[in-house]
Amino acid sequence: MRRISLYAAVSVAALSLGVSHASAQSGSVEKAVGGYSFEDAAKEAPETKNFHSADGHLTFAIVTHTAGNGFFDPVYVGATVAANMIGAKVLLLGSESPVDDPAREIEILNQIVQDPTIDGIIMTTPQVGAYNDIVKAAVAKGIPIATTNSYDGTLLNRSSISHTGQDASAAAIGGEALAKCVLASGADSGSIVLPSSTAMGNIEVNNRVTSAFNAIIKTLKDAGKLENFKVDAGPENVGIDTNPNDPVNALVSLFESRGDVVGVFTANNVFTPPLVKAVAQTGKTDKICAFGFDLGPAQQEGIAAGNLTGSLGQQPFLQGFWPVMQLYLQIDRGISAANLDTRAQLVTKDNIARVGKRFEN
């Protein structure tokens, strides 16, 4: 009787093990409900390489409004990585100027859209309303477009064109950090200034200043300290008008004229490197809460030296990588345009050592 019971117990245990093993494997999916294999479905369409140019490979062009200051370097890296992954070519183009130059960008775009070897165009759109003719020409030729970095909400066919970039509201992260820095510094009063320039026509930068301004106001108000400080972002809260052609001296003059600046926020790469120099020149190193935008060499050096408290990165690698992938998906898969918000990366002395390890910032 005992032998029979022991045998039965062993048999049940073995069966249980078998069932457990089978259950572990039963969740695997070998083919689609429609009957096709995932391996076959993952292959590139035979006609993709001959899209538009019909030359056996895809060629994308990415054109920016300022390739001369280094900000877009990680964008170009991201675009190159994506192109390599899908076996495509990518032309890295842009204005040679170190400051915003939409006119030169448009000149390059007008040439690119006529190039018969181009299968897709990626462009920045800092000047609202200036790119519709480019879109019209591209549509007429059957060339898909993706925009990146700066956003033009009025762009022709906007809903069918993907955008990759940082929403201006992300500047609130910097504004909040600035206000907290001022409060933590022990300052009981003073001016917090947000210098900028609307002359460049970059609506995205204007919106950043407004978002940062609102965040500063809210943070100080929540702390019950708003009445102690004068927060100035100009008459329309888009920035105190500052000369972009001589930004260092303009910032120095602003500091000296106010005499009580305890915090400053700059919203782009035009003013943030000059802010680093202005802080050093006025002897405010480690004595002022100075926050800026982007994470180029000047910003990183400024943070390390104490001339910049922190800076907001746009994670620009994604601004090159995703548009290439988006155009490829539109061409190969017929996937509709999908936007990507790259958010913001706040960098201070606490995490500066982790920035730029793989050219992504």
Side-chain angles (χ1 to χ4, degrees):
M1 187 72 174
R2 289 178 181 175
R3 290 181 181 178
I4 294 174
S5 298
L6 180 61
Y7 177 79
V10 171
S11 298
V12 170
L15 181 60
S16 297
L17 288 172
V19 170
S20 298
H21 180 71
S23 296
Q25 299 298 318
S26 64
S28 63
V29 180
E30 297 179 357
K31 64 179 182 179
V33 175
Y36 57 84
S37 75
F38 294 116
E39 184 176 352
D40 287 341
K43 294 177 181 176
E44 184 178 89
E47 64 273 15
T48 292
K49 287 288 194 293
N50 283 315
F51 175 81
H52 187 253
S53 61
D55 57 6
H57 62 264
L58 292 173
T59 300
F60 299 138
I62 180 167
V63 189
T64 74
H65 56 278
T66 167
N69 61 31
F71 168 82
F72 283 103
D73 288 351
V75 177
Y76 296 137
V77 173
T80 302
V81 170
N84 289 344
M85 290 176 67
I86 60 175
K89 292 183 179 181
V90 61
L91 304 181
L92 311 177
L93 306 167
S95 166
E96 302 84 352
S97 173
V99 297
D100 291 2
D101 189 1
R104 174 61 177 145
E105 180 200 10
I106 291 170
E107 180 182 347
I108 296 171
L109 283 166
N110 279 321
Q111 296 172 351
I112 285 298
V113 79
Q114 303 300 328
D115 188 335
T117 69
I118 298 299
D119 299 295
I121 296 173
I122 301 159
M123 63 184 185
T124 60
T125 55
Q127 188 171 331
V128 174
Y131 303 88
N132 288 344
D133 287 343
I134 303 295
V135 174
K136 288 178 183 177
V139 169
K141 294 177 178 295
I143 302 173
I145 284 180
T147 62
T148 193
N149 184 253
S150 49
Y151 181 76
D152 178 2
T154 69
L155 187 71
L156 184 69
N157 297 340
R158 177 73 274 177
S159 61
S160 62
I161 296 175
S162 73
H163 180 72
T164 303
Q166 179 191 65
D167 188 88
S169 62
I173 296 172
E176 180 182 9
L178 169 58
K180 289 181 175 179
C181 173
V182 170
L183 293 171
S185 73
D188 293 323
S189 62
S191 295
I192 298 174
V193 295
L194 292 84
S196 190
S197 173
T198 59
M200 294 180 290
N202 193 328
I203 188 66
E204 192 76 8
V205 173
N206 297 348
N207 292 338
R208 287 178 190 167
V209 174
T210 302
S211 293
F213 172 82
N214 290 336
I216 293 168
I217 295 294
K218 181 180 184 303
T219 304
L220 293 176
K221 185 177 181 180
D222 289 347
K225 298 288 187 179
L226 180 57
E227 293 182 357
N228 294 26
F229 300 94
K230 181 181 179 182
V231 185
D232 188 356
E236 297 180 1
N237 297 333
V238 294
I240 300 169
D241 190 34
T242 308
N243 185 0
N245 298 313
D246 189 13
V248 176
N249 287 328
L251 290 171
V252 169
S253 296
L254 176 62
F255 294 164
E256 292 177 344
S257 66
R258 298 302 172 98
D260 65 346
V261 174
V262 294
V264 57
F265 180 88
T266 52
N268 62 4
N269 201 56
V270 174
F271 286 103
T272 301
L275 172 61
V276 172
K277 294 180 179 179
V279 169
Q281 286 186 23
T282 54
K284 296 182 181 295
T285 303
D286 287 324
K287 298 177 182 178
I288 187 175
C289 294
F291 284 77
F293 242 84
D294 301 335
L295 296 171
Q299 285 89 332
Q300 294 183 46
E301 292 168 6
I303 291 171
N307 294 317
L308 192 64
T309 312
S311 197
L312 288 176
Q314 302 183 51
Q315 307 197 92
F317 180 94
L318 291 173
Q319 296 181 12
F321 182 88
W322 176 244
V324 171
M325 284 299 187
Q326 175 63 63
L327 291 180
Y328 177 74
L329 291 174
Q330 287 180 239
I331 293 168
D332 186 62
R333 297 281 162 178
I335 292 177
S336 297
N339 299 339
L340 176 68
D341 182 357
T342 59
R343 294 289 290 157
Q345 178 183 22
L346 177 62
V347 175
T348 64
K349 277 187 176 181
D350 293 337
N351 59 353
I352 187 66
R354 299 197 298 271
V355 174
K357 293 293 186 183
R358 290 280 294 164
F359 310 102
E360 65 275 345
N361 294 295

